[in-house]
Amino acid sequence: MDEYRKQVEENIVESYRQDEDMMILVFAQWCVNEGLDPEELYMQAYPQQQGNERLKRVLELTVPKEEAGPIPDETVLGVLSLFGNEDLAFAVSEAIAGRDKRK
């Protein structure tokens, strides 16, 4: 029973990690689509976290804006909020506001 429970817990943790990587990818691709540097925006939200390795790894999966589908602002904000990244969602909101002012 303990081995089964351990395996279930490991599967849950791995599933969450994969979901979290997808959230990071949505954020990073949105930044690329908007002409923003994902690492710079991340550092605005979390200045105490130097060099986020997961973000760097996921950045390799982004594609040029021309190859990507659109990611609505509401989608990236919703995904960030779902994972409790309120500070990053705030930084994204500020980037959106700045973009909208320039239009």
Side-chain angles (χ1 to χ4, degrees):
M1 186 68 172
D2 279 339
E3 189 63 34
Y4 175 76
R5 177 177 281 157
K6 183 178 176 183
Q7 185 63 43
V8 168
E9 288 174 3
E10 288 174 6
N11 289 344
I12 291 169
V13 168
E14 181 58 29
S15 177
Y16 183 82
R17 244 186 234 121
Q18 289 174 354
D19 290 347
E20 203 171 40
D21 282 349
M22 185 58 64
M23 177 267 306
I24 296 167
L25 181 57
V26 168
F27 162 73
Q29 189 63 58
W30 177 86
C31 287
V32 169
N33 291 358
E34 296 295 321
L36 301 169
D37 180 343
E39 290 178 297
E40 186 178 304
L41 195 55
Y42 184 87
M43 288 305 299
Q44 287 176 18
Y46 303 109
Q48 70 283 7
Q49 293 183 17
Q50 296 294 324
N52 184 305
E53 290 303 316
R54 289 179 76 187
L55 177 58
K56 287 181 181 183
R57 185 171 32 90
V58 170
L59 280 174
E60 296 174 8
L61 302 174
T62 61
V63 297
K65 178 181 180 175
E66 300 75 33
E67 296 176 26
I71 299 175
D73 298 340
E74 298 78 24
T75 298
V76 73
L77 290 170
V79 169
L80 291 172
S81 292
L82 182 66
F83 281 86
N85 285 312
E86 301 304 328
D87 292 339
L88 190 53
F90 182 76
V92 166
S93 293
E94 287 184 327
I96 292 167
R99 177 198 66 204
D100 291 346
K101 283 182 183 178
R102 290 187 300 273
K103 283 186 176 181

